[in-house]
Amino acid sequence: MHYIFDPLCGWCYAAAPLVDAARHVPGLRVAFHGGGMMTGANRRAITPQWRDYVMPHDRRIAEMTGQPFGQNYFEGLLRDTGAVMDSEPPTTAVLAAESLREGGGLDMAHRLQQAHYVEGRRIADVDVLKALAAELGFDGEAFASAFTRLSGEATAQHIAQSRQLLQRAGGQGFPTFVLTQADGRSGRIDIGPWLGRADDWKAQLAALVASSQPATTDAAATPATPSVCGPDGCAI
C-alpha cells in the first residue's frame, strides 16, 4: 500500500491510526511517499491568520478521529510567529530514518506528527529532528550523516516522484492511499469512511490481502468525508 502524505498535513495526522493499523496487516507492506506540501514557494510562516484557518480543521479532525491536539500546539506553536512551516527538512528526516532502519521512515513520520500536533515543536528545525531521531533510538552520528546525504537534491527527487505517483493515481492531495495487488492491479482507496475506525479498516485490508480482490473506489469518485490536503493547506 502506497501512502502519499506530508508531515505537516492535518488530515494525514487524522489518518495516522489507519497507517499504523495497516502496518500490522500480515502480507501487506506500507511504502511512504512524501509529497512536499509546504516546500519552496509554499513554505509558510506561522501567522494569526494561519492559526485561525487551521484550528477549525484541527478541531474537526479531533472530533472525527479522536486524534489528540496539545495545548503546546494550539497555544504554543500556532502563536509562534517565528516558526516556519517547511515540509522539506522533516521529509528528509523520514528518508534518513528509513535508510538506517527498515520501517524507520514510518516510525519517524508518526513521531513527527506527535511532535508537531501534540508537543508543538518546530519539526522543520534540524536540531529538533535530531532530537526526535535520538528518541526513536537512532545513533546520532549515523542519523546526522544520513540527513546530510539525503538533503537537497535527493529529497527534491523523492518529492517529485511522489507527486508523479499522486498524479498517476488520480489523487487530489494528501493523504492519498494506493493499494497494489499481488497481480499488479492498483487503485486508490477512499479512507473517508474509515477515519476513526482503525480496527474495521485493518480487518478490511486483511480481507483484501487474503482474497486479492480489487478494493478501490472509482478514481473519479468524491471521498465520502474530507481527507485531502493540497499545496495551500488542508481542504474542507
Side-chain angles (χ1 to χ4, degrees), residues 139-172:
D139 176 79
E141 291 186 7
F143 179 81
S145 177
F147 186 89
T148 298
R149 174 172 53 85
L150 292 166
S151 293
E153 183 60 27
T155 297
Q157 289 181 2
H158 172 83
I159 290 171
Q161 291 167 357
S162 298
R163 291 180 176 179
Q164 290 170 6
L165 174 61
L166 180 67
Q167 183 177 25
R168 291 197 304 271
Q172 299 177 8

Side-chain angles (χ1 to χ4, degrees), residues 151-234:
S151 293
E153 183 60 27
T155 297
Q157 289 181 2
H158 172 83
I159 290 171
Q161 291 167 357
S162 298
R163 291 180 176 179
Q164 290 170 6
L165 174 61
L166 180 67
Q167 183 177 25
R168 291 197 304 271
Q172 299 177 8
F174 316 113
T176 290
F177 290 78
V178 180
L179 182 65
T180 299
Q181 301 280 9
D183 62 6
R185 291 175 299 173
S186 66
R188 288 188 296 112
I189 301 178
D190 175 9
I191 64 164
W194 305 104
L195 290 173
R197 299 172 54 205
D199 289 342
D200 294 337
W201 157 263
K202 181 180 178 181
Q204 174 73 0
L205 287 178
L208 293 173
V209 171
S211 65
S212 295
Q213 294 298 314
T216 58
T217 59
D218 184 344
T222 301
T225 57
S227 56
V228 173
C229 290
D232 294 324
C234 296

Side-chain angles (χ1 to χ4, degrees), residues 74-198:
F74 282 135
E75 300 301 331
L77 183 64
L78 289 185
R79 295 190 183 278
D80 181 2
T81 55
V84 175
M85 306 274 280
D86 184 351
S87 300
E88 185 171 340
T91 298
T92 301
V94 172
L95 294 173
E98 184 66 23
S99 74
L100 297 174
R101 183 171 72 209
E102 184 176 1
L106 288 171
D107 293 338
M108 177 60 77
H110 181 71
R111 186 66 188 91
L112 287 166
Q113 290 169 328
Q114 289 181 320
H116 180 74
Y117 290 106
V118 179
E119 300 161 17
R121 296 164 77 175
R122 293 184 177 188
I123 63 170
D125 287 7
V126 175
D127 287 345
V128 172
L129 296 173
K130 291 179 179 178
L132 295 176
E135 292 174 20
L136 291 172
F138 290 100
D139 176 79
E141 291 186 7
F143 179 81
S145 177
F147 186 89
T148 298
R149 174 172 53 85
L150 292 166
S151 293
E153 183 60 27
T155 297
Q157 289 181 2
H158 172 83
I159 290 171
Q161 291 167 357
S162 298
R163 291 180 176 179
Q164 290 170 6
L165 174 61
L166 180 67
Q167 183 177 25
R168 291 197 304 271
Q172 299 177 8
F174 316 113
T176 290
F177 290 78
V178 180
L179 182 65
T180 299
Q181 301 280 9
D183 62 6
R185 291 175 299 173
S186 66
R188 288 188 296 112
I189 301 178
D190 175 9
I191 64 164
W194 305 104
L195 290 173
R197 299 172 54 205

